[in-house]
Amino acid sequence: MRVVGLILLAVVVLIGAATGYFFLHYPNVAGPSQLAIDRTTDRLLRGGYLVNNVMGCRGCHSQPVADAFAGPPVPETQFGGGRAFHQGHGVPGVVYSRNITQGALREWTDGELLRAITAGVSKDGRALFPVMPYADYGTLERDDLYSVIAYLRTIPTVKNVPPPNQLDFPVNLLVRTLPHDAQFVQRPPSKEAIAYGKYMVTAAGCGHCHTRMDAQGNPVGVPFAGGREFNEPGQYLVRSANITPDNETGIGKWTREQFIARFRSNTEEDHRKMKVAPGEPNTVMPWWEFSGMTEFDLGTIYDYLRSIQPSRNAVEKFAAAR
Ligand code: HEC
Ligand code: HEC
């Protein structure tokens, strides 16, 4: 009996130590840096462009107009958070985007914001679930992120407190292992079209949506070959398109002009008027957002996508919601 008791005690102590280590060690990310970002005119312009038309912040951190094509944001909800990401988006549970308007961020330092956006750790040390592509944001240029943060400080307050997240076991624990310190790079010069286009693709999270993922949010498909599924119960089911340069199943036959025109033909306002009934095909691709990207940036994105390996993958984009 004594021996069994001792063994049991040892097991309990070991489990306790392992659990303690796990909670103390993860998220394994450096503390927030000491920063005071100048709100220069250049920063606000660049930040506004990235936040509103490139990096997806506005779409994810607002409520979408549910009956409009591609779900442009309801103006009064912009950046107020509370958009739900659930099983239908590959999240094991439900995660709500947070309020990132001025009022909600008043207590946050610039360093804490930089860490949340690029390493996935909140002000209070909580690991963020990677609905937001923070690992991608962590490989951008530091100065672009400073511009994003400078701009966030100017967004009018929206009063909204999103509900707490509910992640299923064991992801609610494993999520703590996902954050990593950012590895900032230099933005390539714009004359290096392919490298610059690749940088813009990372900033815009194209690969995040256009690559199949497993239930933990890890990419498992061929990058950019599409097929990631988004199911909005009662509304629509859409799968991301193959945007590798395959002739039959990708964008192999698209010209540069067609590609740019596909993005710029309908403005954000146009999208608000493009009504879609429940059950009709709709999409999560933020066409309204990217319609405000410059022709130059879209052109380099095309150049980069044309430079990657073509991959044959026929995707049936639209299906009935489950
Ligand atoms: C694909 C959707 C998506 C995109 C794009 C996105 N976010 Fe998020 N963001 C979220 C979700 C969801 C959370 C909450 C995650 C969690 O609680 O685990 C979040 C969390 C945050 C947080 C942490 C807030 C807190 O209270 O902990 C900040 C800050 C933030 N986002 C800012 C941004 C900025 C700035 C951008 C654009 C550069 C952006 N987000 C782009 C979905 C997104
Ligand atoms: C939030 C997820 C999401 C993001 C971010 C996203 N896409 Fe998409 N994209 C989709 C989905 C879903 C579709 C399929 C439905 C549709 O056509 O809208 C799609 C369709 C497309 C199409 C149409 C292809 C065709 O065959 O008609 C192109 C081109 C495209 N995306 C390129 C991009 C590029 C380039 C980026 C980054 C600048 C990007 N996407 C970012 C989800 C996304």
Side-chain angles (χ1 to χ4, degrees):
M1 276 312 257
R2 275 244 320 268
V3 174
V4 173
L6 280 175
I7 291 175
L8 271 179
L9 183 68
V11 168
V12 168
V13 167
L14 270 177
I15 292 176
T19 313
Y21 175 81
F22 181 80
F23 278 93
L24 284 175
H25 189 67
Y26 294 110
N28 185 12
V29 160
S33 42
Q34 299 290 331
L35 275 182
I37 298 171
D38 282 340
R39 242 177 270 168
T40 59
T41 316
D42 281 355
R43 282 241 164 87
L44 293 180
L45 274 176
R46 175 75 180 160
Y49 176 61
L50 292 173
V51 164
N52 287 300
N53 294 105
V54 180
M55 291 175 70
C57 325
R58 194 152 55 102
C60 282
H61 285 271
S62 313
Q63 293 297 341
V65 179
D67 64 347
F69 187 68
V74 177
E76 320 69 89
T77 70
Q78 290 205 109
F79 302 105
R83 182 167 184 178
F85 297 88
H86 48 73
Q87 246 102 23
H89 307 111
V91 177
V94 54
V95 172
Y96 299 90
S97 61
R98 304 283 132 200
N99 190 333
I100 55 169
T101 63
Q102 232 180 95
L105 298 182
R106 195 160 290 139
E107 305 291 318
W108 288 62
T109 65
D110 288 344
E112 286 167 346
L113 279 172
L114 183 70
R115 187 178 68 164
I117 299 165
T118 62
V121 174
S122 186
K123 180 178 168 63
D124 61 4
R126 181 176 66 88
L128 302 177
F129 187 79
V131 169
M132 171 164 81
Y134 54 76
D136 284 347
Y137 296 160
T139 62
L140 298 179
E141 179 169 287
R142 188 180 272 278
D143 213 58
D144 268 345
L145 293 148
Y146 287 6
S147 298
V148 164
I149 292 168
Y151 181 80
L152 289 185
R153 302 286 191 195
T154 69
I155 296 174
T157 301
V158 170
K159 287 216 156 55
N160 182 40
V161 182
N165 301 335
Q166 284 154 8
L167 284 174
D168 300 342
F169 178 83
V171 177
N172 59 344
L173 298 178
L174 294 179
V175 64
R176 300 176 73 93
T177 65
L178 301 179
H180 290 289
D181 284 321
Q183 303 281 329
F184 298 114
V185 301
Q186 291 271 79
R187 174 155 43 104
S190 53
K191 61 179 190 303
E192 288 173 23
I194 292 179
Y196 179 89
K198 180 177 187 201
Y199 180 91
M200 293 310 294
V201 160
T202 306
C206 316
H208 192 67
C209 280
H210 282 273
T211 308
R212 260 191 327 104
M213 300 223 170
D214 68 14
Q216 277 73 48
N218 304 305
V220 289
V222 176
F224 305 105
R228 182 171 172 193
E229 200 168 278
F230 302 87
N231 181 50
E232 213 48 86
Q235 295 182 50
Y236 60 88
L237 186 155
V238 67
R239 297 185 193 94
S240 58
N242 180 348
I243 54 171
T244 72
D246 182 55
N247 274 334
E248 307 311 321
T249 64
I251 59 162
K253 290 189 176 135
W254 294 38
T255 66
R256 206 167 190 268
E257 289 64 36
Q258 282 169 336
F259 184 87
I260 295 173
R262 176 69 188 85
F263 280 81
R264 294 192 38 115
S265 50
N266 294 301
T267 65
E268 186 169 336
E269 270 322 294
D270 293 341
H271 277 95
R272 290 216 162 74
K273 295 181 202 126
M274 293 160 73
K275 292 297 177 194
V276 177
E280 276 176 14
N282 205 342
T283 185
V284 294
M285 164 90 181
W287 292 108
W288 53 270
E289 179 194 4
F290 298 146
S291 70
M293 263 170 92
T294 63
E295 280 191 27
F296 183 86
D297 287 353
L298 287 167
T300 62
I301 286 178
Y302 177 82
D303 296 338
Y304 169 66
L305 291 174
R306 297 297 299 218
S307 77
I308 64 178
Q309 190 70 23
S311 176
R312 179 138 308 184
N313 182 31
V315 176
E316 195 200 328
K317 290 196 285 183
F318 302 107
R322 282 197 297 267

